[in-house]
Amino acid sequence: MMLLSVRNLTVEYHTDTGIYRAVEGLNFDLEQGKTLGLVGESGCGKTTAMMALMRLLPEAGRIISGSVILDGRDLLRMSLAELRETRWKDISMVFQGAMNALNPVRTVGSQIREAIRLHNSIPKGQTEKEIEKLLDYVGVAKSYKDRYPHQFSGGMRQRAMIAMALACQPKVLIADEPTTALDVMVQAQIMDLLSDLKSEFNFGIIIVTHDLGLIAEYCDKVLVMYGGRMVEYGDLNQIFHHTAHPYTQRLLQAFPDIENPKAELASRIGFHPRASTSIK
Ligand SMILES: Nc1ncnc2c1ncn2[C@@H]1O[C@H](COP(=O)(O)OP(=O)(O)O)[C@@H](O)[C@H]1O
Ligand SMILES: [Mg+2]
């Protein structure tokens, strides 16, 4: 059985100035232990689609149609009680920009503690051990538990966000632009961390990015969005060798070695600090 199947997902924003269709007819599948890259320029609807999956759209957002089948159950048709048992526990998300929105006057450990208390039902006496375990998973020394966000580097703050998202051992982890605010060396470390965690816990992961280089290096499947719609979807090699949509072709033109775009992209990420191609 497929871990996650999204069908015909359509989302609108209803605002004072009118109705805006941000996502239209999105379809994709995610298998356990696999990585899906969701790529597209800024404003194409990536975050909206992921927030709709989580049923965390802002006030103006409306899910017009679709289904989100996680482990055989439709998230979009769950009661709030069922949703409470599923969100964060079965499907979890690292929000875009969240690492820069940590509360500056509270220690990182206390913010992880809150995530555990809200979403997990472990006995209170075990919470401290749990925080240390989560920090260990993401490669942060446990002594940092009592430090404040400004004492963390950007990469460490993102690691802390990932720790929070892992608090309930989700089956699906969504990471929305997990490396956007980070420099290239740290980007690679965070992507390696996500990849290692995926191997260890065997969850399915969705990486949302506008960086095609990251997709080439880390993803099994690619979904390209343009203007709220899916314009390309398939295995990594298939997309790089047989692009159907002009938008994807334009993306790939940034990479000269078209015979071997994957290696070309990977080498760019590894060795050329400024060459990671952005399509923002
Ligand atoms: N709360 C909102 N109200 C109205 N429009 C919104 C809201 N959030 C996002 N949008 C619009 O929806 C579109 C998709 O945004 P978003 O999903 O954030 O794109 P992406 O994550 O790909 O950059 C954009 O045109 C954006 O302006
Ligand atoms: Mg976004």
Side-chain angles (χ1 to χ4, degrees), residues 46-48 96 176-177 208:
K46 305 182 296 297
T47 297
T48 300
Q96 180 172 358
D176 193 352
E177 310 264 8
V208 179

Side-chain angles (χ1 to χ4, degrees), residues 79-244:
S79 66
L80 287 177
E82 285 176 286
L83 188 63
R84 260 197 299 278
E85 287 305 309
T86 298
R87 188 166 56 202
W88 308 118
K89 297 183 174 67
D90 292 336
I91 184 166
S92 186
M93 183 160 169
V94 178
F95 295 111
Q96 180 172 358
M99 59 176 256
N100 295 321
L102 280 161
N103 186 335
V105 300
R106 288 181 50 207
T107 64
V108 171
S110 77
Q111 298 182 61
I112 297 176
R113 187 175 305 123
E114 185 172 286
I116 294 172
R117 291 233 180 100
L118 281 175
H119 308 312
N120 205 337
S121 50
I122 60 165
K124 247 193 165 163
Q126 288 172 26
T127 312
E128 295 315 299
K129 273 253 145 346
E130 189 66 23
I131 296 171
E132 291 173 11
K133 195 172 87 187
L134 288 168
L135 285 174
D136 185 52
Y137 286 155
V138 298
V140 174
K142 64 181 177 204
S143 60
Y144 276 77
K145 199 172 73 164
D146 301 319
R147 299 199 189 183
Y148 292 87
H150 76 267
Q151 295 170 303
F152 277 53
S153 67
M156 286 174 73
R157 271 182 278 135
Q158 188 61 294
R159 285 171 193 269
M161 299 316 299
I162 294 167
M164 288 183 213
L166 292 178
C168 306
Q169 297 99 39
K171 296 171 186 160
V172 175
L173 178 69
I174 301 170
D176 193 352
E177 310 264 8
T179 64
T180 297
L182 303 169
D183 69 49
V184 169
M185 292 308 287
V186 182
Q187 284 187 6
Q189 289 163 9
I190 294 294
M191 293 305 295
D192 286 340
L193 171 67
L194 288 170
S195 173
D196 291 346
L197 290 168
K198 188 197 69 176
S199 305
E200 187 164 342
F201 298 110
N202 202 29
F203 45 59
I205 179 160
I206 303 177
I207 304 283
V208 179
T209 181
H210 57 269
D211 186 334
L212 201 62
L214 290 184
I215 300 265
E217 174 87 342
Y218 291 97
C219 297
D220 303 296
K221 265 185 164 180
V222 190
L223 194 171
V224 182
M225 278 181 79
Y226 185 75
R229 292 167 181 264
M230 176 181 91
V231 294
E232 206 103 50
Y233 174 60
D235 290 339
L236 186 67
N237 288 325
Q238 183 191 331
I239 299 297
F240 280 119
H241 290 287
H242 307 283
T243 49

